Amino acid sequence: MTLEHAIKQLRILNEPVPKPQRLPSREEVAEVEKQLGITFHPDLQEYFLTASDVTYGCLEPVTILVDSGHTYMLDVVEDARTLGVPDELMPICDDNSDYYCMTTDGSIVFWSHDAGGLTGETWKDLSTWIEEVWIGESQDRDEDDDGER
């Protein structure tokens, strides 16, 4: 699945919420990059600019906007670093103090505080993680809740 296709799927699945997020501007993304002292992988930049306002399932990936609460990237990164997530991993989603992280090559790895680091779970890119984890696991949970496994 391409990132464009994964984002289209997220848009279809987007759930209505009382106070939806808005998408950040390129300038807002650049400001967070500056504050972190990095340049985001192109896939992560594309996600922020086109789909970071999506609400779907139980997972809540990081967001760029200052007023985005517990998903605000700078806060998530600070918490992850405090728990020991190494600087070369960029947390993209906090899952109860475990983190899905993007590597410098754009792959996604799972870092668990319970396991004391990387678990060996990996996804080749952001689109695969979106499809298999964010969408896939959310759909599996919905089926479990409906008793339809």
Side-chain angles (χ1 to χ4, degrees), residues 42-58:
D43 287 355
L44 192 53
Q45 288 180 358
E46 183 68 17
Y47 164 75
F48 286 137
L49 294 169
T50 61
S52 61
D53 62 335
V54 169
T55 300
Y56 176 67
C58 298

Side-chain angles (χ1 to χ4, degrees), residues 2-131:
T2 65
L3 185 57
E4 180 181 349
H5 184 261
I7 288 171
K8 284 181 183 177
Q9 287 300 112
L10 285 174
R11 286 261 157 245
I12 291 167
L13 296 168
N14 191 22
E15 299 169 347
V17 293
K19 188 177 177 186
Q21 288 283 331
R22 68 171 174 82
L23 291 172
S25 67
R26 287 193 184 280
E27 293 76 21
E28 288 168 317
V29 173
E31 179 58 30
V32 172
E33 287 177 316
K34 181 179 173 185
Q35 290 180 37
L36 289 170
I38 62 160
T39 299
F40 294 132
H41 186 276
D43 287 355
L44 192 53
Q45 288 180 358
E46 183 68 17
Y47 164 75
F48 286 137
L49 294 169
T50 61
S52 61
D53 62 335
V54 169
T55 300
Y56 176 67
C58 298
L59 292 177
E60 298 176 288
V62 295
T63 51
I64 291 290
L65 303 174
V66 174
D67 61 352
S68 54
H70 67 279
T71 60
Y72 180 49
M73 183 165 212
L74 293 178
D75 292 342
V76 171
V77 168
E78 181 181 340
D79 291 345
R81 300 291 181 244
T82 300
L83 289 172
V85 174
D87 290 345
E88 63 270 10
L89 299 178
M90 181 52 55
I92 62 164
C93 186
D94 176 356
D95 187 9
N96 295 313
S97 297
D98 293 334
Y99 297 90
Y100 294 96
C101 301
M102 183 172 273
T103 65
T104 56
D105 71 359
S107 63
I108 307 299
V109 297
F110 188 62
W111 187 96
S112 172
H113 74 282
D114 290 329
L118 293 174
T119 65
E121 294 176 83
T122 63
W123 298 266
K124 69 177 183 170
D125 53 30
L126 184 58
S127 60
T128 302
W129 179 82
I130 289 170
E131 177 184 19

